[in-house]
Amino acid sequence: MSVGSIDSSFHASSYPQVSVRTVEGQGGRKDRGLFAASAFEAGQLILKESPILHTSHPIARAFIPTADLDIPHDWQRLLFLYATHRRSNQLSQVLDGIIVDLSMDGVCSDLAREADPDRESEFQEWAQEWISWYHQQGGSDGTSWQPTAEEIFRLIAILETNSHSRDEDDMRDLLDPRTGVVPTNTSDTMDMAMTMSASTDEHEDDETKDEACGLWIMASMLNHSCLPNCTVFIPPTKRTGDEAALYLRCIRPVSAGEELLINYHDEEYLPTLDRQDILRSRGFDCQCPLCSGRVREYMRSAACSNLGCIGGQGVCCPVRANGEIRWICDHCGGALDALAISAVEAKEQEWMGQWEQILAMTIGDIPAEQCTHLLAYQVLQQLSRSWAVSLPANGGSITPPFLPFLSPLHVTHSHVYSFLKYILFEQSFWLRQQFGDDGVHAVLLCMLAVIERALSSLGDGGLSLNVSEERRVLGYWLVKEAQRRLEQAEFRGEEEVNRWRALQDQGLLRWEVGMQYLCSRD
């Protein structure tokens, strides 16, 4: 989009700290990117932007989505707001520019079509249905603007490609885990006495549970990296009444003239092939340092087979060396040979081959006592029975347990982490029922240890650890679990109480570090 040509409703000059430039896209295509006009440090705010369309707008919020349309409720609100602006001739040049110039690659590119052949036709059907519904509601009242199916389809495709959203009914991990309020020493954007309940009302209407979703022009120029140097944060508006805003914050040092990059998805612990599948559905084949192998694929890990690394000290991960991908140990520098790599791949296949049984076990379709052969069950059993965590001083990284039955996989492998994440956040009742309180806190600590061991192997001085959303959220829940245990202190000895207080402090430290990068004071 030629942002300089838009009318006074949008001022590109309001953002002198960044510039929009043409970048070389895939296949020689010319794309746009957002670049830093000056250097930024990690934690520094780059820009704050107001949306062009947002579900918190009074017109959008007053609109009640209809079940007659398959279109997601937040998009229904945005379409209605768009139509209202068009009918009243508001933001006309801005909206013209959006419809003509913003990317639709998440729907209409060759890669997106290949990833989901039916999505484009589905969105076209949605546009036709919306037009019919709009006319039935009396939308065509003689105004100069009349919607077309092509225009509405383009807007839907643009929203799919460029919109930013956040579930406002699940903002718990932004609250101080001890008090349930946002700490006042964070950004003024979060400087509020927000006392949201830790759980939403089960009887709350679906319309009030929609995500906060919006379209921002400058943020639409941001390209992706699986190792981003920036993050986008959208503060809540539903309960605070604040105006919607998007905050672009630096999370890694950025030089003047360097492109600003964000992560298009919220999964930082997926192996490369899985990440690329997600990103192809967004319309591009990622070639960031992590996807191209220039940075070790820390989430796909194997135990080093060299004698000096026995006991889980060394972790081998794929990384490009001398022009080829090799499994290099971060402890001794050795590499797995072809036979060892084949053994790793076979173990990966074994784990994934058990996944259907794992799911059946966790939802109760298969009794747990019939699943003791499963790798996942063995992990839970070992953690809950025998792992005694030694807490490091001053918030140092926790060491993950050594689980020899996983060999040649290392416990930091994404297969293990993804299962633990699923069991902790989706099936916690089953976990506590089968393995008790010890099982829950062991899984939580193991996940934290996996993240810290894996990200520390990147050798960036702890920067990846500090900006990790996974680590911040796990820190939050570690505090909550420690609080739960401390409430039972009358049944425990002084040593046990001191241990859980130490765990609470460790979790809080990790949460606070992450919050500094998410919404620290400018």
Side-chain angles (χ1 to χ4, degrees), residues 444-515:
L444 181 55
L445 286 171
C446 184
M447 290 175 65
L448 190 55
V450 165
I451 286 289
E452 295 188 337
R453 175 64 179 89
L455 293 181
S456 65
S457 72
L458 295 179
D460 60 5
L463 185 58
S464 293
L465 269 179
N466 290 338
V467 303
S468 169
E469 274 287 274
E470 294 278 338
R471 185 181 188 236
R472 183 186 68 81
V473 172
L474 290 171
Y476 173 90
W477 288 110
L478 182 57
V479 175
K480 300 300 288 185
E481 182 68 12
Q483 284 183 318
R484 182 180 185 277
R485 296 302 187 89
L486 289 171
E487 289 171 359
Q488 306 166 352
E490 65 271 18
F491 304 107
R492 305 177 185 277
E494 182 179 356
E495 182 178 348
E496 183 77 357
V497 170
N498 290 337
R499 180 173 184 272
W500 280 105
R501 283 176 177 163
L503 281 169
Q504 183 181 39
D505 292 342
Q506 294 284 341
L508 185 63
L509 177 63
R510 287 157 172 82
W511 178 79
E512 288 177 335
V513 168
M515 288 293 286

Side-chain angles (χ1 to χ4, degrees), residues 293-307:
R294 287 172 283 164
V295 171
R296 61 190 279 116
E297 191 179 355
Y298 57 83
M299 69 294 293
R300 193 178 176 208
S301 55
C304 184
S305 56
N306 288 342
L307 292 178

Side-chain angles (χ1 to χ4, degrees), residues 64-256:
I64 299 176
T66 174
D68 295 336
L69 297 172
D70 292 329
I71 304 172
H73 285 184
D74 49 352
W75 286 7
Q76 287 190 41
R77 287 194 164 103
L78 295 181
L79 290 173
F80 184 78
L81 177 60
Y82 174 86
T84 302
H85 285 332
R86 283 297 199 185
R87 290 172 64 184
S88 60
N89 201 31
Q90 294 184 25
L91 306 177
S92 57
Q93 283 188 266
V94 176
L95 298 179
D96 284 345
I98 286 173
I99 292 298
V100 171
D101 288 331
L102 282 191
S103 171
M104 301 191 298
D105 283 353
V107 177
C108 301
S109 68
D110 291 341
L111 282 173
R113 288 168 176 151
E114 182 180 346
D116 188 347
D118 298 326
R119 181 165 45 188
E120 186 173 2
S121 59
E122 180 183 25
F123 284 6
Q124 288 171 341
E125 290 175 5
W126 285 4
Q128 292 283 1
E129 292 171 0
W130 188 87
I131 292 290
S132 299
W133 173 86
Y134 183 76
H135 289 319
Q136 291 171 7
Q137 305 305 310
S140 300
D141 57 359
T143 59
S144 58
W145 178 77
Q146 295 296 322
T148 66
E150 173 62 20
E151 180 179 359
I152 299 305
F153 164 73
R154 291 184 67 87
L155 180 56
I156 292 173
I158 286 166
L159 292 174
E160 171 71 6
T161 305
N162 298 283
S163 64
H164 293 271
S165 62
R166 178 148 189 171
D167 183 356
E168 288 205 335
D169 287 322
D170 190 11
M171 305 288 283
R172 286 168 290 182
D173 56 59
L174 297 181
L175 309 178
D176 189 315
R178 300 162 299 178
T179 63
V181 299
V182 174
T184 56
N185 62 345
T186 57
S187 169
D188 56 357
T189 67
M190 296 293 292
D191 199 6
M192 61 192 81
M194 187 170 67
T195 56
M196 289 187 290
S197 170
S199 62
T200 58
D201 186 348
E202 293 180 359
H203 304 290
E204 192 175 8
D205 292 337
D206 287 342
E207 290 80 8
T208 63
K209 290 185 178 180
D210 298 343
E211 289 190 342
C213 181
L215 190 64
W216 287 263
I217 292 180
M218 298 302 288
S220 296
M221 308 297 165
L222 289 162
N223 288 316
H224 165 87
S225 173
C226 298
L227 287 175
N229 53 28
C230 296
T231 187
V232 161
F233 176 61
I234 306 171
T237 61
K238 181 188 291 187
R239 290 174 172 85
T240 65
D242 288 0
E243 293 185 0
L246 178 146
Y247 292 78
L248 181 66
R249 195 171 299 278
C250 180
I251 58 174
R252 300 176 193 272
V254 171
S255 302

Side-chain angles (χ1 to χ4, degrees), residues 347-358 374:
K347 198 72 171 184
E348 290 175 327
Q349 294 265 349
E350 179 186 350
W351 182 287
M352 294 309 295
Q354 296 180 350
W355 189 242
E356 187 174 340
Q357 291 177 277
I358 292 169
L374 298 179

